[in-house]
Amino acid sequence: MGALEVDSEVVSMDIIGGLYRQGLDVLVEKIVAQTDGKTVTSCFQVCTFWEKHLWNGNVWRRIIERLFAENADFRLLCRLNGWRQILPSQGGSEVTEEEYKQIVYKFTEYEGIWSKRNLSSSKLFTGGLFSCLKLHQQWLFAGMLDGLIKMWDVSRDFVKKPLKIFEGHEEKVSSLDAAGDVLVSGSLDQSVRVWNIESSSLLRVLRGSGCPILLVKLLPDRLAWWSVSGMFQVWSWNGPENIEPKLRFNIDEDPMTCNITVGEHYVAVAGNDVYSNTDREVVIYNSHTGHRMLEKDIFASAQIQCMDMQSHLLFLGAGCSVEIWDIEKSLCVAVLGSNFKPSLNQTIRNICVSDFQVVAMLSSGNILHWPLHNLVKKNNDNPKIPLHYNLETFAGVIENKEPPWKNLVLSDSRIVFGLEMKFGDVKIFNWSKTVKRNTDVEEERVAGRRRRVPSFTYQFNCRPECPQCPNVQVMEIDLK
């Protein structure tokens, strides 16, 4: 939308609509790619003509594709965090426009949405001692010591009683994972169980290790678990009805003391033997073949207390610092803090990551968080040297004075962990400002119809010939 002054009169011009009518969709794409998620969403709300062409033109995907082609740092991020797998131009599989929209918001609106002013906290009592937690969509799952699995809808304002209870395990639930409408659980009763989340019904019971299960991981085409014996098993996964044994291999490190994280491409293990320096070395296995990848040389600057993985990125909580490694190239990409001149004399207690965010808990209980796109960048001066950041001033800080218990779990909008002072209590931090949809639908009984109400009001005449937008007043939008 633009405005020209002609003979002291302001004349409105529909620039975006004019470009579309001339078939110059690529210019619209170039314009909106220079803005942010909020501005693009506002463009959808100007009128039905804009909305139709933006949606039919797959503008959210095309913005991501253009960022990938033109922004070297974004290209590096997509290669390492897994976003490249959903870019058709890079041989990836196309996903929905809503998923591309979420990526644009994560990349352009992090400081606005995941900020302290949008953060709230609450507590939840699980009703007993729990051993593991899992966040999935709006649900929080807790694996209990008595073998039960409880589920709450934490998107509600007041959460007390569990929404569902999954019964079947005979001993402590040690690990949980979920994808879509499926929940998988591992237990000390030597079984892995597959559940339907909606009905809480048991779909499959898998055995084979003959030992208590310590870890389960549901990958896009595989189901993996690790047992007390050190045996790591991988089963092919094509839904709950099609699960078949695929491979098994031994991991030499002590399952009871080592750190382990499992991803789509790798299994990373760090021992905990201070005397042999294995507490600083990370051993990498190929999660498809089970082979140890001897060429991967990853060695932390201090003892590794915690670790997590996102696609090709490995995150290490080492001493007083967080280290980010490119596993594919065995290259340290970034270091947050320092073990030689620490700005904060506090160790990294827990760490968890998503495709766009890193969250670390300090030994004091305070939580630090960073947008991943601010950390994963190429060092133009020397690509082989990691970028260094100040741990204290560079991070977003969430103050927490209550001693934590058990590991952090993370979703796009929530951080959850147990509390040490009262076992069974869970603390929830929630970023409440969510990405707005293009329009809100307000229920009004006007002639028995649903009325479509724009989320924002604009002052602008769409175009004289638009039959669906007569006399609509909208504000002008600066697309610079």
Side-chain angles (χ1 to χ4, degrees):
M1 174 62 198
L4 294 176
E5 188 172 339
V6 180
D7 295 334
S8 301
E9 293 184 3
V10 177
V11 180
S12 295
M13 297 179 61
D14 182 4
I15 296 176
I16 298 296
L19 291 173
Y20 272 128
R21 284 191 290 273
Q22 297 177 56
L24 300 175
D25 301 41
V26 67
L27 292 182
V28 177
E29 174 192 327
K30 286 183 177 181
I31 292 172
V32 297
Q34 301 302 314
T35 64
D36 52 35
K38 279 186 178 179
T39 302
V40 180
T41 297
S42 298
C43 289
F44 273 88
Q45 297 167 342
V46 169
C47 69
T48 54
F49 181 76
W50 283 29
E51 180 184 30
K52 172 187 172 183
H53 283 275
L54 289 167
W55 192 260
N56 292 343
N58 298 316
V59 70
W60 295 109
R61 175 179 62 78
R62 294 176 71 169
I63 289 173
I64 298 295
E65 296 274 18
R66 182 166 292 276
L67 285 170
F68 185 90
E70 298 178 353
N71 187 322
D73 287 335
F74 185 77
R75 194 156 53 245
L76 175 64
L77 176 64
C78 289
R79 177 179 71 81
L80 294 175
N81 76 345
W83 283 350
R84 190 170 64 175
Q85 298 176 9
I86 59 172
L87 297 181
S89 65
Q90 303 303 308
S93 301
E94 186 171 358
V95 294
T96 66
E97 275 292 280
E98 186 65 28
E99 291 176 79
Y100 291 119
K101 176 182 177 180
Q102 295 296 325
I103 293 177
V104 173
Y105 267 82
K106 290 171 182 178
F107 186 68
T108 65
E109 299 287 350
Y110 183 89
E111 286 75 13
I113 295 177
W114 289 271
S115 62
K116 184 177 290 187
R117 67 176 177 272
N118 296 325
L119 189 70
S120 61
S121 65
S122 59
K123 290 182 182 178
L124 171 70
F125 181 57
T126 62
L129 293 178
F130 62 89
S131 49
C132 56
L133 299 170
K134 174 64 182 180
L135 273 172
H136 175 59
Q137 298 174 9
Q138 75 269 31
W139 300 305
L140 172 65
F141 299 92
M144 311 301 290
L145 293 185
D146 59 7
L148 296 178
I149 302 170
K150 299 181 180 181
M151 183 185 88
W152 294 264
D153 184 349
V154 289
S155 66
R156 300 179 180 179
D157 292 334
F158 301 100
V159 182
K160 291 184 178 180
K161 294 184 178 180
L163 194 64
K164 288 184 172 64
I165 296 179
F166 301 77
E167 300 183 69
H169 284 297
E170 299 171 0
E171 295 187 49
K172 181 178 90 170
V173 179
S174 54
S175 182
L176 296 166
D177 202 5
D181 61 352
V182 171
L183 173 72
V184 294
S185 58
S187 167
L188 298 189
D189 66 8
Q190 305 180 12
S191 72
V192 172
R193 296 176 185 248
V194 182
W195 314 81
N196 180 278
I197 293 176
E198 184 176 356
S199 64
S200 68
S201 59
L202 180 63
L203 303 178
R204 294 290 297 272
V205 178
L206 306 174
R207 303 183 188 271
S209 63
C211 292
I213 308 298
L214 296 178
L215 172 73
V216 292
K217 184 70 174 180
L218 185 55
L219 301 168
D221 59 349
R222 285 157 291 153
L223 172 61
W225 69 77
W226 195 35
S227 62
V228 170
S229 66
M231 181 68 68
F232 194 95
Q233 296 197 49
V234 180
W235 291 47
S236 63
W237 172 273
N238 190 21
E241 298 80 17
N242 299 293
I243 312 174
E244 298 293 338
K246 188 174 182 180
L247 67 95
R248 59 174 62 191
F249 59 94
N250 280 311
I251 293 178
D252 295 333
E253 284 71 22
D254 184 354
M256 304 306 295
T257 60
C258 73
N259 292 292
I260 184 170
T261 181
V262 180
E264 186 175 351
H265 309 288
Y266 314 100
V267 178
V269 186
N272 201 19
D273 187 349
V274 179
Y275 301 102
S276 64
N277 269 344
T278 57
D279 62 330
R280 296 169 59 187
E281 181 183 7
V282 180
V283 178
I284 303 294
Y285 295 86
N286 186 309
S287 64
H288 290 274
T289 65
H291 296 152
R292 179 171 175 175
M293 306 178 76
L294 297 174
E295 71 277 12
K296 305 300 182 186
D297 185 18
I298 299 177
F299 201 82
S301 61
Q303 181 182 2
I304 299 171
Q305 288 99 1
C306 50
M307 59 198 300
D308 201 359
M309 186 187 302
Q310 173 65 36
S311 193
H312 294 286
L313 287 169
L314 179 65
F315 301 80
L316 305 177
C320 298
S321 70
V322 174
E323 298 182 8
I324 304 175
W325 286 77
D326 176 352
I327 304 176
E328 198 172 31
K329 296 185 177 180
S330 295
L331 179 68
C332 187
V333 176
V335 177
L336 305 166
S338 171
N339 286 305
F340 306 104
K341 294 182 180 180
S343 59
L344 289 174
N345 192 22
Q346 298 179 42
T347 57
I348 306 298
R349 175 167 180 164
N350 281 310
I351 191 167
C352 54
V353 300
S354 67
D355 60 344
F356 73 101
Q357 183 171 222
V358 184
V359 173
M361 176 174 279
L362 301 175
S363 54
S364 65
N366 284 341
I367 298 171
L368 308 180
H369 64 99
W370 305 264
L372 196 53
H373 65 261
N374 281 355
L375 306 178
V376 179
K377 296 182 176 182
K378 185 177 180 181
N379 188 338
N380 294 320
D381 296 330
N382 190 337
K384 294 185 178 180
I385 296 179
L387 295 171
H388 287 262
Y389 301 97
N390 187 297
L391 189 66
E392 183 177 12
T393 60
F394 189 70
V397 180
I398 301 174
E399 295 183 0
N400 170 57
K401 303 302 181 184
E402 298 177 276
W405 180 66
K406 295 294 182 183
N407 289 341
L408 289 168
V409 289
L410 174 68
S411 67
D412 280 359
S413 60
R414 295 178 184 86
I415 301 171
V416 175
F417 55 92
L419 295 175
E420 188 178 89
M421 296 301 292
K422 189 175 181 181
F423 292 154
D425 271 10
V426 168
K427 191 164 187 178
I428 303 170
F429 283 104
N430 177 54
W431 283 283
S432 58
K433 185 176 181 181
T434 57
V435 177
K436 291 190 177 182
R437 296 187 176 276
N438 297 334
T439 57
D440 300 323
V441 178
E442 181 183 305
E443 293 285 356
E444 286 195 358
R445 297 185 178 275
V446 179
R449 296 180 302 173
R450 291 163 66 93
R451 187 168 72 87
R452 182 174 180 272
V453 181
S455 297
F456 301 94
T457 302
Y458 297 88
Q459 295 179 351
F460 159 71
N461 265 332
C462 170
R463 55 195 173 99
E465 64 271 25
C466 180
Q468 299 187 39
C469 304
N471 303 319
V472 175
Q473 305 266 331
V474 272
M475 74 169 22
E476 295 178 358
I477 303 171
D478 186 1
L479 294 177
K480 294 181 182 179

